[in-house]
Amino acid sequence: MFSILLMGGLAGLFILGFVIHVPALSWIVGITAVLVGIQMMTKSFVIDMDRKEIRVKLALLRPPVTVSLADIDHFELHSVSQLFITINASLNLYYYKDGKEKIAPLAQGFTVRSMQRLLNDIEEIIGRHGY
């Protein structure tokens, strides 16, 4: 949802730059909008029960993370609040690989409720198969 709102705002600034005759602003905002669009299209989250793994690609410049279900330690839901209003919520996966604890970001959003629903769905899928 955040990416869609960001794309809308950037598109508005892109048009505004041409209306007020500031083409440099328009091109900078336009390039940023294209990068956000590419990031939106490359984001993925897959639970593959045939291979017994979770594959995550959240950021544009980070390589995808593949985590075996057997390596999962726990999930953690973080929220950032300011003046009693949640401004960011993120769901992270903690797992062990090569004897070290590692973290894979799974999702990020505005509300804790959406992250909790995602976590419940993940646990239901994994739990259904005995993990």
Side-chain angles (χ1 to χ4, degrees):
M1 185 67 181
F2 177 74
S3 296
I4 293 170
L5 291 173
L6 183 61
M7 285 287 294
L10 290 173
L13 287 174
F14 180 73
I15 293 168
L16 180 66
F18 281 115
V19 169
I20 63 172
H21 304 292
V22 184
L25 171 70
S26 293
W27 289 112
I28 291 169
V29 170
I31 291 168
T32 305
V34 168
L35 290 174
V36 170
I38 291 170
Q39 188 268 338
M40 272 179 32
M41 289 186 258
T42 60
K43 206 170 14 174
S44 68
F45 177 74
V46 177
I47 300 174
D48 189 347
M49 294 310 294
D50 293 332
R51 293 183 177 181
K52 297 180 177 40
E53 65 186 18
I54 294 177
R55 288 186 304 273
V56 180
K57 177 150 176 55
L58 192 60
L60 182 61
L61 298 177
R62 276 191 175 168
V65 176
T66 303
V67 179
S68 171
L69 294 180
D71 295 339
I72 294 174
D73 185 37
H74 65 281
F75 295 93
E76 201 166 79
L77 179 61
H78 291 278
S79 66
V80 178
S81 298
Q82 188 170 12
L83 298 174
F84 305 107
I85 298 171
T86 302
I87 58 173
N88 187 17
S90 62
L91 179 62
N92 297 318
L93 167 66
Y94 287 76
Y95 64 100
Y96 284 97
K97 187 171 188 177
D98 301 326
K100 296 181 181 177
E101 184 179 55
K102 298 194 177 199
I103 304 169
L106 297 182
Q108 188 171 358
F110 287 119
T111 64
V112 174
R113 183 182 299 166
S114 63
M115 296 298 112
Q116 186 63 51
R117 280 190 208 140
L118 178 61
L119 178 58
N120 292 344
D121 290 344
I122 293 168
E123 288 178 341
E124 181 182 337
I125 291 168
I126 292 173
R128 198 181 312 156
H129 294 279
Y131 286 94

